[in-house]
Amino acid sequence: MANEDKKDFNAMLHDSKDMPKMQTITDQKSIEKYGGDQMYFAPPIAYDEVMKRVPYGKVLTVGAIREYFARKSGADFTEPITAGIFVSIAA
């Protein structure tokens, strides 16, 4: 990310906006790609909480975190773009 020295990552981490939320998508390509039409948006702090539970020396992928949130929320999948951004902010 550009200009990291000017950004307040702690503020971004705690800014949940209107999340968590569930959205129904209608794009057929996306439905086929992700296997359903229920998309979940998790707040940034939720990614931080999950990442803090990973023991030292263990690896957890963004995909595994997204699957966990989808299962937990009853969604078909978790939105991938915000997931990547929020993992970077939490890291």
Side-chain angles (χ1 to χ4, degrees):
M1 298 175 96
N3 300 322
E4 283 86 4
D5 57 329
K6 297 178 183 172
K7 294 184 180 180
D8 184 356
F9 287 95
N10 195 39
M12 287 190 278
L13 184 66
H14 290 89
D15 182 14
S16 65
K17 300 195 186 330
D18 59 346
M19 297 177 209
K21 71 177 179 178
M22 189 82 72
Q23 181 176 341
T24 302
I25 60 168
T26 57
D27 178 49
Q28 195 57 41
K29 257 186 168 176
S30 296
I31 292 170
E32 290 171 10
K33 181 177 182 178
Y34 296 113
D37 65 348
Q38 293 298 310
M39 179 169 58
Y40 179 70
F41 290 83
I45 195 71
Y47 288 92
D48 185 55
E49 290 167 358
V50 168
M51 291 167 62
K52 284 182 177 178
R53 287 189 271 158
V54 178
Y56 180 80
K58 298 291 181 180
V59 175
L60 182 65
T61 65
V62 176
I65 297 171
R66 288 182 52 226
E67 288 173 14
Y68 167 76
F69 284 135
R71 237 185 356 264
K72 184 177 171 188
S73 67
D76 296 314
F77 65 101
T78 303
E79 203 281 326
I81 304 299
T82 57
I85 294 168
F86 295 163
V87 164
S88 294
I89 290 170

